[in-house]
Structure formats: structure tokens, C-alpha cells
Amino acid sequence: TKTIQLVNTSCGDSISVDFFYEKGVLKQVAFKGESCAISRASGSLLTDTIKGKNISELKNLNVDFMKQLIGIDVTPARLPCLLLPLEA
């Protein structure tokens, strides 16, 4: 299990993401933290979506993927909130 902790310095959101890989496949992933609704929503949707994916698939995830995943318009100021879980 690997844990990554990140902080969005523009707003103070902080998250911790726990990963467990086996044979190049993400078997378990969970996140927790103190963050805004956009970070929490994107983290929840992302962890549900990436579970069971292989590492090469995860490397292709990007801003456009996250915008589509969240399904709402995000202002440029809130983009770091949306991307915080992906950056972890």
C-alpha cells in the first residue's frame, strides 16, 4: 500500500490517497481529507472509476477526462480543486 498526501495551496484543500497495486493493476484505492465539494466529488468519482485499471491506463488520465467525469463546468479558479485527486 502506498499513501500520497497533497495540499492545494490556493485554497487549503488537503487529501490523502491510499493505493494498493498487484501485478500492475490498481486493486484498492481510497481517499480522505479536508476539502471542498469539488475535490470530494472528483475524488469519489475518480476512485470508483480507476479501481481495477492497469498502470498504463492511469497514465493517460488528464484534465479533459476529469472535466468529463465530474460533468459540470468548473471555473479556472476551481480547476486545481478538481485535479487534486488526479495529481495524487
Side-chain angles (χ1 to χ4, degrees), residues 50-82:
I50 65 175
K51 202 176 293 183
K53 304 285 185 194
N54 66 50
I55 294 172
S56 63
E57 289 176 287
L58 300 178
K59 290 179 181 179
N60 294 323
L61 303 182
N62 58 27
V63 175
D64 292 332
F65 169 82
M66 291 301 292
K67 286 179 178 179
Q68 182 178 2
L69 182 66
I70 197 78
I72 60 170
D73 289 329
V74 178
T75 65
R78 300 302 300 269
L79 198 55
C81 302
L82 174 71

Side-chain angles (χ1 to χ4, degrees), residues 7-87:
V7 175
N8 179 349
T9 56
S10 66
C11 69
D13 285 356
S14 66
I15 64 167
S16 174
V17 183
D18 299 319
F19 301 91
F20 174 71
Y21 289 97
E22 185 175 79
K23 297 180 182 177
V25 175
L26 183 60
K27 295 291 186 176
Q28 296 177 5
V29 59
F31 81 100
K32 60 185 173 205
E34 298 291 326
S35 61
C36 69
I38 291 175
S39 285
R40 287 192 309 270
S42 67
S44 179
L45 291 167
L46 181 64
T47 55
D48 287 347
T49 302
I50 65 175
K51 202 176 293 183
K53 304 285 185 194
N54 66 50
I55 294 172
S56 63
E57 289 176 287
L58 300 178
K59 290 179 181 179
N60 294 323
L61 303 182
N62 58 27
V63 175
D64 292 332
F65 169 82
M66 291 301 292
K67 286 179 178 179
Q68 182 178 2
L69 182 66
I70 197 78
I72 60 170
D73 289 329
V74 178
T75 65
R78 300 302 300 269
L79 198 55
C81 302
L82 174 71
L83 298 177
L84 189 62
L86 180 63
E87 291 170 2

